[in-house]
């Protein structure tokens, strides 16, 4: 799977959560988890979009897909 999230952005997320230091392995691990979850939400959102007869994925599709995966 191609990495889409910049490691620097993931580092900021972890630091904003309260970490003083973050290892490269931790950044890469969180990036991988976020990308996997994002892919699952996207796939579900596309299904919802197609079911509604649209080609454009909307905010509501993403939000509903995210709720369905919880």
């Amino acid at each position: 799977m191609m990495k889409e999230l910049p490691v620097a952005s993931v580092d900021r997320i972890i630091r904003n959560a309260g970490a003083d230091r973050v290892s490269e392995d931790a950044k890469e691990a969180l990036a991988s988890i976020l990308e996997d979850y994002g892919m699952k939400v996207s796939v579900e959102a596309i299904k919802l979009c197609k079911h509604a007869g649209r080609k454009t994925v909307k905010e509501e599709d993403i939000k509903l897909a995210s709720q369905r995966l919880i």
Side-chain angles (χ1 to χ4, degrees), residues 34-45:
L34 293 173
E35 288 169 359
D36 289 345
Y37 181 70
M39 183 63 73
K40 290 175 184 175
V41 170
S42 298
V43 167
E44 187 66 24

Side-chain angles (χ1 to χ4, degrees), residues 11-28:
D11 179 73
R12 276 194 304 279
I13 291 170
I14 299 169
R15 287 178 190 274
N16 287 341
D20 292 325
R21 297 174 64 185
V22 184
S23 73
E24 286 299 316
D25 288 345
K27 295 174 203 177
E28 291 173 10

